[in-house]
Amino acid sequence: MRHVHSRSAGDRSGGHIRGSSGPTLLAVMLTGLALATLGGCQRSAAKVSSPTQPLREKAISFDDLEFEIEKDADFKREMLTPAIEAMDGTRVKISGFILPASAFKQTGLDRFVLIRDNQECCFGPGAYIYHNIQVEMEEGKGADFSDLPVQVEGEMRIKPWFGPDDKCYSVYHMTANRVSR
C-alpha cells in the first residue's frame, strides 16, 4: 500500500511517496510536466486529494455564548471574547427552545428565535442578549414548532439584531440546515 504525504511549510521530507521506486516517481512527475506543457492542466504539480469527510458541527451551549455585559447596556462588538469571535462562520449544533412568540405556524417554520430555556425571559427588554439566536432555515428547509427542547444545526454568525428602539436584542444568527428533537 502506498502512502502519499503532502509537503507542508515546515516539512523537509520532500513530499515523497513511500514504498515507490525512483523510476515510478519520475514517471508521475514527467506525466504531470507533459500535461502542463500541453495545456492539459493549470498547475505543474499534481494535487493529491483525500476522501472528503462530511462537515461536522461543533456542539456548543448557550454558556459558550456568554460575555460580559450588563442587562440593557449598549452592545459593542469588542465585548465578545476571542472564543466567541472564533465561532463566527463555523458550523455548530446547539440545544434550546423555540420562542413561541416567534413561531407563526406549527410546521414549515422558515425562521424563529431559539432561546436558552422554555421561559420567555430570554428575548426582549431586560433579557441577556446572548440567551437567544435568530434562526433562519436554509432554502427549502423548514422546522416544526415544539415546546420541548430542540437541537439546531447550522452556520453560526455574529449578526446583531436591533429593535425599533435601536437597542440590540440579539447578537447571534444561525442559518440552520436541521432542527430535531
Side-chain angles (χ1 to χ4, degrees):
M1 178 157 83
R2 295 178 185 202
H3 299 280
V4 178
H5 290 268
S6 63
R7 187 174 181 172
S8 65
D11 183 12
R12 302 282 185 230
S13 67
H16 66 281
I17 302 173
R18 288 190 189 167
S20 65
S21 61
T24 304
L25 180 58
L26 181 59
V28 169
M29 291 173 61
L30 288 175
T31 302
L33 181 60
L35 284 172
T37 304
L38 296 172
C41 68
Q42 297 294 322
R43 298 179 182 174
S44 60
K47 183 177 181 182
V48 178
S49 64
S50 61
T52 57
Q53 294 199 352
L55 290 174
R56 291 212 171 127
E57 287 84 6
K58 176 185 175 188
I60 64 168
S61 74
F62 277 95
D63 291 341
D64 298 315
L65 302 177
E66 291 184 6
F67 56 92
E68 293 292 324
I69 187 171
E70 296 295 323
K71 280 187 178 183
D72 293 324
D74 289 338
F75 170 73
K76 294 178 180 61
R77 180 107 184 206
E78 305 83 59
M79 296 173 169
L80 300 178
T81 66
I84 291 171
E85 285 284 359
M87 281 188 250
D88 190 27
T90 63
R91 299 195 63 79
V92 300
K93 61 182 169 185
I94 186 167
S95 293
F97 293 84
I98 296 174
L99 179 67
S102 71
F104 299 107
K105 53 187 176 179
Q106 283 295 117
T107 61
L109 296 172
D110 60 352
R111 62 186 61 221
F112 58 90
V113 178
L114 185 72
I115 54 177
R116 179 183 185 104
D117 57 48
N118 63 354
Q119 306 302 311
E120 292 194 37
C121 64
C122 301
F123 185 77
Y128 283 111
I129 61 176
Y130 49 72
H131 280 174
N132 70 82
I133 301 170
Q134 303 289 316
V135 177
E136 189 173 347
M137 298 300 296
E138 285 182 354
E139 181 87 24
K141 305 237 176 171
D144 294 338
F145 176 78
S146 174
D147 56 358
L148 299 173
V150 294
Q151 186 172 70
V152 182
E153 301 175 29
E155 182 183 25
M156 174 72 92
R157 302 298 310 197
I158 297 169
K159 186 177 174 184
W161 184 83
F162 295 87
D165 58 357
D166 292 325
K167 287 282 218 187
C168 182
Y169 287 96
S170 183
V171 176
Y172 307 110
H173 179 271
M174 181 184 283
T175 302
N177 63 318
R178 181 179 169 160
V179 176
S180 59
R181 285 187 235 177

